[in-house]
Amino acid sequence: MKVILICISLAVVAVVAIFTSSLESGSPKREQPATPVGGRVFPVNEAGEEVDLAYLSQISVEDLAHLVPEQSGIRFTDCPACKGGVQDTGKFSWDPRHPRQIRCLSCNETYPGNPKFPDLANQQVASLGKVHLYPSYRREDGYHFYFQAHRDHLSRKYLATAARDFARTWWKTRDDDAARRAAALLVRFAEVYPGYAMHYDYPFTPKVIVPPDHGIIAETKTRPKLTAKWDYWTYLEISQELSEAYDILRHWQPLQEMAGGRAIEKIERDLLTGMLTLALGTQEKYRAAEPYTNMSSVLWRDALRVARLTRNPEALLDILARARIFFEQYFLYDGSWYETSPSYGQQVYNSMIGIKAALSGSIESFAPGQLDDRQITEITTLESLLNVAMKRQHASLAETRFPDGGLLPINDTWASRKGAARKEMEAVLFPGMGVAILGGGKGNEQFHGYLNFSGGTGHIQRSALSIGLWAQGSELLSDIGYTHTSYRFWATSTASHSTVLVDGQEQALDPAYSGNRLMLWADNGRDFHIAEAESATAYPELERYQRTLVAIGHNSKDSYLVDLFQVSGGSQHDYLLAGNADEPSSAQLNLPVQPLGASIANRQLPFNPPLGESDRQTPESGLTYLRNLRASHPAPAARLDFRTLREPHTGIRSWVDCGGPARFFLADAPSVRPALEKEGAINQSVMPMLIARRTGENLASRFVAVHAPLGGAGERIGAVDVRRIGEAILVTVHQGTRKDMIFLATGKRARLEVQTPEGEVRFEGKAGWLRWKEGKAVEGELVNGSELAGGGLRITGGHPFEGTIVEVGEATMDAEYGGWFLVAERPPAAGGVDALIVCMADGTTRGYNIVRIEPTGSGSRIYVKERPALSLSPTATQLLSFPQRTILGSAPRYEAVTRSSSDAAKRVGHELP
């Protein structure tokens, strides 16, 4: 079977990690032979089908070995004849039957030797007494395409995989010919690897190729990981395929007789230790200049295996020391990975699975006396840290997933990555990651809304306070997620998200994780969930940028979202809703609209097609991506339908009330996802968007919306009334004989009395909900309030539960909670307490899920799900989780979110499952 290898984007590392995790669960089909030094490092799986072993078994062993390239490869090489590739990498295949060529799968052009793209440039590189040649085609703008070196890159990967699969075949069948071929490939790689040139190989960047003994390339001084030999960076310098092949074949007796009796020495010293030394050396020497990243754990996983295979306790201890810092300092206080992108969190989690497997049995891998007590203690300590980190990270990934198992596509997350479908949805808060999930339901009736207030840099997007909604098997309000196409700027821009764009400008980021702040979280565990957050960094010049999201209902049949977005400052506020990014959809307003020929970007900027993934364009370019614009006359409110063309009853209905004159625009926007990373298809699919625009000097807007799935509450809701009464918003949602009244204070608390056809209703607090049936109030919730009364139902709350933190404690690793806060106050007797909001002297805010509250002699001990990750002194607060820093000033203050319910069951906090 001929198999094609395709170069893909940088995100391939996530796929590699996922493959590794599946590898760890494999088991051999027959009894394994006795092995020296504590058994195998890798489990044995079935022989893979990534390479054509049948053909490679037909040629001579000598010819097979000669297929191994003698020169270092170049990974990032595009096809100059087409746009079928992505991220400066064409979709090329290498076939061992035609080893001198590669073929573009998109346009069928072959290289090198293509007369239309001749290799006229030819760089010479000295290599251990030889001269290696690197021919290239030079484009008119001076950019070089290294077709021969890219061929070497593909063939090197192919043949390393073949070595692994031949070794697996021998382990399974005891076919000595398969072992001989695997061994020949291993020995040949050991012979040529020391002479591989070092290179700087990065997308859209001139390549630098230097002799193997050159050292760190000048262009990579600030990013030394990009001086590499085997792949484009040293995180991938250690070949998993070759190390596994050797792990198997070191038990094959004839290997010791190959290469003049020096095969094992060559493989361990020149190949595996050479890879290990380069990988660890560049990272170690420049650690201060380059912090640990999502790829660090990938490197350590592979390095641990090689350290065990080569019985190198010094390397083992070095890796353990780095990994310990990583697990102690590079996660957020709720256990999430510090890059608030679930895709990169998944990548780190998968590599942690590999680290755990590599650590398992590592002490027994060494001969007695090779490891001292300190090294043994380091191994056991890291195993404990790893287990806790894996448990917390798994929770942040599993509990935020969509019903179909897809990762929550916020920030740089691949929307296409799917896990096992969820059986049930529950509301959940991950305050460190910066996401609140509001939802419920089982099976096909799951409802999943979210509020994104994530911070950080790196793989973050400019999407503070964006929302999303999943119901009826679809993502109805979408976040595009990650792409490596030229439309990366659009996917990361504020204008592509369901948030508010101010003055047509991109949001700023929150690198210190201090500007995007949780302000409120409450959840009755059934049909009422509320989250509120603000951002002081998205638009620092604004007085207010704050969003409140409420979910009412049990599942997708009866649930809907109430959405309040408050913006103060600036002269133009664009409330944005992005529809279904996966399926063709229509958009319709209940207002007449007319085609709009002009751009709605600042100064009517035209659209300039991006030049590539790295084209960041201007901070005002986001709205230029919109096409097919239609506009209404000014109106204070409108009703919107987004419907899929496949099934018109699938979609979302939104009632949007702007509180004053606004223009409503409908537009088609690049949906990106259906292109499946094919640059040539990026303009072939769109998603619908709504833009509700308010303008004015020193503008203050309170956008109020209700979002409901069609086929569910969206079609049963007859009307939505919005009243702005002083410092409160009253939203009334009418559904036949039933109506809901949702009360939201625009500040910390509000008080109002309103007359309804059923009589007077009183509210005092932060938020409230009353459900009416046939003229009587039958259910309700009150958040941070003292009273909600009407229709024969009266809900009362207690005193505010707030004060100053007295003391903080961390839990042991095996506790069911993360830690506790000691306070001098007692919670109110009535109602429950759902969340703790802790505010530091500089305004940095952290939220915590409350597990339980216990009285003390003079106050309360509040147990929380997350690590407090704080250290207090009389004059400062030290943050112990990422990003570690010291905040000068007085002790942190706290406010506990209290909730009073109309049901008879009163709870103080949530018990963990």
Side-chain angles (χ1 to χ4, degrees):
M1 168 182 166
K2 177 181 173 183
V3 178
I4 295 168
L5 291 182
I6 298 176
C7 265
I8 59 175
S9 66
L10 295 179
V12 71
V13 294
V15 179
V16 170
I18 292 170
F19 169 73
T20 301
S21 69
S22 66
L23 189 71
E24 301 301 337
S25 63
S27 58
K29 289 294 180 92
R30 61 174 61 199
E31 184 180 353
Q32 299 182 12
T35 59
V37 200
R40 294 192 57 249
V41 175
F42 293 86
V44 175
N45 287 9
E46 298 293 327
E49 297 184 0
E50 295 184 29
V51 297
D52 191 346
L53 291 187
Y55 172 75
L56 296 180
S57 297
Q58 295 172 10
I59 63 177
S60 69
V61 174
E62 292 75 15
D63 288 343
L64 174 63
H66 282 124
L67 290 175
V68 173
E70 295 186 11
Q71 298 189 179
S72 186
I74 294 294
R75 174 174 179 168
F76 294 104
T77 301
D78 208 347
C79 176
C82 68
K83 293 184 177 180
V86 65
Q87 202 184 24
D88 200 25
T89 307
K91 293 188 175 180
F92 293 110
S93 70
W94 179 81
D95 187 339
R97 293 172 175 81
H98 308 286
R100 305 301 298 169
Q101 285 188 330
I102 54 175
R103 181 172 63 88
C104 177
L105 299 175
S106 298
C107 67
N108 217 35
E109 293 284 354
T110 58
Y111 306 91
N114 190 312
K116 290 181 286 187
F117 307 100
D119 291 327
L120 299 180
N122 200 357
Q123 181 180 350
Q124 298 185 12
V125 178
S127 176
L128 304 183
K130 297 181 180 180
V131 175
H132 288 177
L133 301 179
Y134 288 85
S136 61
Y137 160 68
R138 186 176 184 271
R139 199 168 55 192
E140 290 182 359
D141 61 1
Y143 194 65
H144 288 255
F145 294 75
Y146 292 87
F147 303 125
Q148 178 178 301
H150 189 58
R151 178 200 67 199
D152 291 344
H153 167 79
L154 293 180
S155 62
R156 183 264 306 158
K157 177 67 174 176
Y158 189 104
L159 294 167
T161 304
R164 181 202 66 192
D165 289 351
F166 273 128
R168 288 179 176 180
T169 300
W170 171 76
W171 186 270
K172 177 184 176 184
T173 66
R174 292 302 183 264
D175 179 356
D176 280 342
D177 183 66
R180 190 174 299 108
R181 292 173 185 276
L185 289 170
L186 271 172
V187 170
R188 183 57 178 160
F189 273 115
E191 290 172 347
V192 299
Y193 176 78
Y196 278 0
M198 304 277 262
H199 50 64
Y200 171 44
D201 175 15
Y202 204 68
F204 311 108
T205 304
K207 310 301 185 273
V208 180
I209 308 170
V210 298
D213 56 356
H214 180 277
I216 299 298
I217 296 171
E219 287 82 352
T220 71
K221 283 291 186 181
T222 59
R223 304 179 72 188
K225 65 189 179 188
L226 293 175
T227 292
K229 295 170 69 172
W230 185 254
D231 212 300
Y232 75 98
W233 55 3
T234 50
Y235 287 131
L236 301 177
E237 189 66 29
I238 299 171
S239 168
Q240 293 186 69
E241 295 83 5
L242 295 181
S243 58
E244 183 184 349
Y246 176 65
D247 187 17
I248 298 172
L249 287 184
R250 62 195 174 110
H251 311 309
W252 185 58
Q253 188 65 32
L255 177 63
Q256 301 181 27
E257 302 167 6
M258 296 178 66
R262 299 179 58 217
I264 289 179
E265 176 188 355
K266 282 178 170 290
I267 294 169
E268 289 195 0
R269 182 194 65 193
D270 297 338
L271 181 62
L272 298 181
T273 300
M275 289 176 164
L276 179 70
T277 301
L278 178 57
L280 294 182
T282 54
Q283 300 299 313
E284 175 72 15
K285 186 175 181 181
Y286 292 91
R287 185 188 298 171
E290 187 171 40
Y292 296 138
T293 71
N294 52 64
M295 286 299 297
S296 297
S297 52
V298 174
L299 167 62
W300 300 331
R301 174 201 65 198
D302 299 338
L304 279 170
R305 289 166 171 165
V306 171
R308 286 182 58 187
L309 287 172
T310 59
R311 298 165 302 285
N312 186 337
E314 291 76 17
L316 177 70
L317 191 62
D318 181 17
I319 298 160
L320 295 177
R322 303 182 197 201
R324 181 167 184 169
I325 295 172
F326 180 81
F327 290 122
E328 289 178 339
Q329 299 182 12
Y330 280 79
F331 289 82
L332 301 170
Y333 68 96
D334 64 358
S336 303
W337 172 240
Y338 83 88
E339 293 171 298
T340 50
S341 154
S343 272
Y344 283 93
Q346 182 74 65
Q347 177 182 304
V348 170
Y349 179 76
N350 288 334
S351 61
M352 287 195 287
I353 294 175
I355 290 176
K356 184 173 183 178
L359 281 175
S360 177
S362 56
I363 296 174
E364 295 79 13
S365 296
F366 290 86
Q370 268 195 294
L371 297 178
D372 58 29
D373 291 343
R374 179 172 64 98
Q375 292 165 331
I376 293 173
T377 300
E378 284 289 337
I379 292 173
T380 56
T381 300
L382 185 64
E383 286 178 323
S384 298
L385 287 171
L386 178 61
N387 288 335
V388 173
M390 289 181 67
K391 179 180 178 181
R392 292 171 174 166
Q393 180 64 10
H394 181 270
S396 72
L397 295 168
E399 295 175 28
T400 59
R401 285 182 183 268
F402 280 148
D404 70 343
L407 292 172
L408 190 69
I410 62 172
N411 299 318
D412 282 351
T413 294
W414 295 104
S416 60
R417 303 289 191 260
K418 307 293 184 183
R422 297 185 64 158
K423 296 180 180 179
E424 186 174 1
M425 183 61 57
E426 294 181 345
V428 65
L429 171 70
F430 279 91
M433 183 196 296
V435 63
I437 308 298
L438 295 80
K442 298 180 180 180
N444 295 329
E445 297 179 0
Q446 294 178 71
F447 180 91
H448 181 296
Y450 67 84
L451 173 61
N452 169 25
F453 55 98
S454 56
T457 56
H459 289 288
I460 198 78
Q461 296 185 2
R462 300 180 187 275
S463 56
L465 305 193
S466 62
I467 62 170
L469 176 62
W470 170 289
Q472 300 175 314
S474 297
E475 193 179 350
L476 303 178
L477 293 178
S478 297
D479 189 318
I480 293 169
Y482 207 7
T483 181
H484 280 310
T485 64
S486 61
Y487 274 43
R488 174 157 169 72
F489 168 82
W490 163 247
T492 65
S493 73
T494 306
S496 72
H497 293 85
S498 297
T499 184
V500 169
L501 183 73
V502 177
D503 293 338
Q505 301 280 343
E506 293 292 315
Q507 294 177 351
L509 298 179
D510 179 22
Y513 299 78
S514 62
N516 297 343
R517 304 164 180 162
L518 178 71
M519 303 178 69
L520 187 74
W521 168 258
D523 162 35
N524 72 359
R526 301 184 314 278
D527 53 4
F528 176 83
H529 328 287
I530 181 170
E532 183 175 87
E534 68 174 1
S535 179
T537 47
Y539 296 102
E541 68 280 4
L542 299 184
E543 296 178 20
R544 175 177 289 184
Y545 193 73
Q546 177 180 317
R547 193 166 206 165
T548 310
L549 196 64
V550 185
I552 304 292
H554 294 85
N555 53 41
S556 64
K557 287 187 174 181
D558 69 351
S559 292
Y560 60 88
L561 296 175
V562 179
D563 176 17
L564 167 62
F565 207 130
Q566 302 183 73
V567 190
S568 298
S571 59
Q572 180 176 290
H573 299 162
D574 289 339
Y575 175 90
L576 308 169
L577 291 177
N580 193 317
D582 296 311
E583 296 188 66
S585 302
S586 65
Q588 185 175 4
L589 282 175
N590 65 339
L591 302 174
V593 294
Q594 297 296 326
L596 185 70
S599 166
I600 62 170
N602 291 351
R603 302 182 305 282
Q604 295 189 348
L605 290 172
F607 173 61
N608 292 314
L611 300 177
E613 181 188 2
S614 301
D615 187 350
R616 295 295 181 260
Q617 303 196 307
T618 71
E620 300 174 307
S621 297
L623 292 176
T624 68
Y625 282 75
L626 303 181
R627 61 192 83 160
N628 189 25
L629 283 156
R630 293 93 76 198
S632 75
H633 291 295
R639 191 188 72 198
L640 166 76
D641 282 0
F642 286 153
R643 296 178 183 267
T644 63
L645 300 185
R646 171 186 55 84
E647 176 50 68
H649 291 294
T650 298
I652 185 171
R653 177 167 288 174
S654 294
W655 292 258
V656 181
D657 188 302
C658 302
R663 290 196 76 186
F664 291 86
F665 302 92
L666 296 178
D668 295 339
S671 55
V672 180
R673 289 186 191 173
L676 300 176
E677 296 297 283
K678 297 176 182 177
E679 192 67 47
I682 203 71
N683 285 310
Q684 297 176 10
S685 57
V686 295
M687 63 183 181
M689 286 200 74
L690 169 80
I691 305 94
R693 172 171 289 180
R694 299 193 69 235
T695 57
E697 295 301 317
N698 195 23
L699 190 61
S701 297
R702 293 175 178 173
F703 296 100
V704 180
V706 171
H707 312 292
L710 291 166
E715 292 174 343
R716 289 198 305 272
I717 295 174
V720 173
D721 297 326
V722 178
R723 297 175 63 185
R724 293 165 170 81
I725 307 171
E727 296 302 310
I729 305 288
L730 171 57
V731 182
T732 304
V733 179
H734 298 270
Q735 300 183 69
T737 60
R738 187 177 80 179
K739 75 174 181 180
D740 291 336
M741 299 177 70
I742 298 95
F743 302 82
L744 298 173
T746 58
K748 192 171 183 178
R749 291 170 73 94
R751 184 177 186 277
L752 60 85
E753 297 179 0
V754 294
Q755 292 296 326
T756 72
E758 296 83 6
E760 183 184 70
V761 177
R762 297 189 305 276
F763 164 72
E764 184 172 0
K766 173 60 182 176
W769 165 54
L770 271 183
R771 169 156 288 175
W772 300 70
K773 288 184 179 180
E774 299 178 349
K776 294 183 179 180
V778 296
E779 186 179 2
E781 298 286 344
L782 176 63
V783 178
N784 277 1
S786 56
E787 183 183 32
L788 177 59
L793 184 66
R794 184 169 184 261
I795 306 171
T796 59
H799 58 81
F801 188 21
E802 57 190 12
T804 301
I805 300 294
V806 176
E807 190 178 339
V808 180
E810 296 270 335
T812 59
M813 289 186 182
D814 57 350
E816 91 249 14
Y817 56 89
W820 49 265
F821 293 88
L822 186 64
V823 302
E825 295 76 24
R826 293 283 181 91
V833 187
D834 288 347
L836 189 72
I837 312 296
V838 177
C839 184
M840 269 63 80
D842 69 344
T844 297
T845 298
R846 286 185 168 183
Y848 299 87
N849 288 280
I850 294 177
V851 176
R852 66 175 184 272
I853 301 174
E854 293 180 353
T856 65
S858 58
S860 307
R861 189 183 301 272
I862 305 173
Y863 291 87
V864 294
K865 181 179 178 181
E866 298 76 18
R867 285 185 60 208
L870 301 176
S871 177
L872 307 184
S873 74
T875 59
T877 300
Q878 186 177 1
L879 306 186
L880 303 179
S881 60
F882 190 91
Q884 292 81 16
R885 60 191 177 93
T886 299
I887 300 171
L888 299 178
S890 56
R893 291 191 56 79
Y894 79 92
E895 177 182 0
V897 180
T898 60
R899 179 181 47 78
S900 300
S901 176
S902 60
D903 62 14
K906 305 297 183 182
R907 295 183 298 163
V908 178
H910 292 304
E911 294 297 329
L912 287 179

